[in-house]
Amino acid sequence: EVALLFFDPVDKGYRFELHFADGKHEGGRASLDGSVLRIINIVPDGGFRRLTINRVSANVWHETGERSADGKIWRTYLDARFTRVNE
């Protein structure tokens, strides 16, 4: 699995692409507001997925994953806090 986040000069906004080993891929829009990255994409089997990553500090971030059938009502499926451990 490979994830790409890049600026699209045509749309003048950020894009997100996720590529899987079986050749399938997903893409969507991304926005960056200070320390918050938000990615929204259309799910191949229907609906939408939204991932919000909030950098709390240099080594800590909070991720929230949500799904929606219509893009209006969102239901959380992931709520996690991660800490990077330096070796």
Side-chain angles (χ1 to χ4, degrees):
E1 185 172 301
V2 175
L4 303 170
L5 177 65
F6 59 94
F7 184 79
D8 184 342
V10 175
D11 291 339
K12 296 185 177 16
Y14 290 97
R15 304 278 302 157
F16 173 78
E17 291 182 1
L18 189 57
H19 297 266
F20 301 97
D22 62 3
K24 294 180 183 175
H25 68 279
E26 297 179 15
R29 294 177 287 119
S31 63
L32 184 60
D33 183 16
S35 63
V36 178
L37 172 67
R38 177 167 282 149
I39 298 165
I40 298 177
N41 67 312
I42 298 172
V43 180
D45 62 350
F48 303 87
R49 183 172 35 232
R50 177 168 68 187
L51 178 65
T52 303
I53 303 170
N54 184 4
R55 187 172 179 189
V56 178
S57 68
N59 293 326
V60 178
W61 66 97
H62 179 248
E63 290 188 21
T64 304
E66 301 165 289
R67 280 196 73 150
S68 173
D70 58 8
K72 297 176 185 174
I73 299 171
W74 294 90
R75 292 192 170 38
T76 301
Y77 68 86
L78 170 70
D79 190 358
R81 182 179 174 101
F82 296 94
T83 302
R84 180 175 58 194
V85 178
N86 296 328
E87 295 183 18

